[in-house]
Each structure stands twice: as structure tokens, then as C-alpha cells.
Amino acid sequence: EEQLVESGGGLVEAGGSLRLSCAASGFTSDDYAIGWFRQAPGKEREGVSCISLRDGRTYYERSMKGRFTISKDNAKNTVSLQIGSLKPEDTAVYYCAASYGSDWIVPGPPLEHEYDYWGHGTQVTVSS
């Protein structure tokens, strides 16, 4: 069965960096997209970035460009999100999600309704 598991979150000082990973299993082809989302306390969940597992196309929300880098490793069935120069405002639960059979949505923005499978999230806390 399709499954996504996030890892790499934790407590980090402002200005530091983290690398989050999303391990995918149960997908029988590379015809899907992986999106990263985050939800800060008291706020709605927002899209961060997405990538096509088939051809590597990517998309970043405007506010995420520069400090966020998404990448994939098909051999390991993982997608990573590198975050640099972390700010307290980056504190949130970060989720990865898969849009199976529709990698064509990339390089468009990641939208919740386009994603069918979700991980349970990993907590990122940035101290000032």
C-alpha cells in the first residue's frame, strides 16, 4: 500500500539549516508528484514546493525561493527538502504528500486537493 513517512525535523537555532526527507513506498511507477506543505500554529496549511518523480520538474512558492531546495533520489524512493537560514516563522509541522498518476501538475503550485496520500508530518521548531 502507498505510504509516505517524513523525517528530519527537530529543534534548531535561527540561522541554521535542516534537511527533511520523505520516504515513499508502495508506488508502482514514477508517474507521481511529491509536494511539501507546512502548517504553523494557528494558521492554515500552505504549499511549499513540489517535484515530479518522473522528470524532476520543480515548483517553489514565491516566498520559499532561495532558502528552500527540493530534490529527489529515485533509487532510494525519497524526496528531500533542504531549508537554510531558518527563521522562527518557519516553525511548523511539515508534511509531504503524493499526487499519484498526475505528475503533470508540476511545475504548478502544490494544492492540497490535488494530493491523495499524506504523511503524518515532522515538527520543525526554530528558536530565536
Side-chain angles (χ1 to χ4, degrees):
E1 295 181 354
E2 297 86 354
Q3 186 176 13
L4 301 172
V5 180
E6 303 95 335
S7 63
L11 176 64
V12 63
E13 296 181 357
S17 63
L18 282 175
R19 187 176 182 87
L20 309 181
S21 294
C22 174
S25 61
F27 295 91
T28 58
S29 73
D30 62 354
D31 185 22
Y32 63 99
I34 293 291
W36 280 99
F37 300 79
R38 70 181 185 182
Q39 186 168 23
K43 295 186 177 181
E44 298 292 326
R45 186 153 57 189
E46 64 176 341
V48 175
S49 181
C50 57
I51 187 169
S52 165
L53 270 292
R54 180 175 58 84
D55 60 20
R57 292 174 297 164
T58 62
Y59 178 89
Y60 298 90
E61 294 288 358
R62 292 184 182 275
S63 62
M64 310 301 172
K65 291 182 178 180
R67 297 192 299 115
F68 293 75
T69 302
I70 192 169
S71 61
K72 67 183 181 71
D73 186 337
N74 288 51
K76 297 182 179 180
N77 297 314
T78 60
V79 171
S80 297
L81 183 70
Q82 180 76 30
I83 314 173
S85 301
L86 282 159
K87 305 175 181 179
E89 306 89 86
D90 294 321
T91 295
V93 177
Y94 285 72
Y95 301 87
C96 67
S99 181
Y100 193 41
S102 57
D103 74 315
W104 51 265
I105 63 175
V106 183
L111 305 174
E112 285 193 40
H113 69 85
E114 296 175 333
Y115 289 80
D116 306 302
Y117 306 95
W118 293 79
H120 294 302
T122 184
Q123 176 71 51
V124 172
T125 303
V126 184
S127 61
S128 60

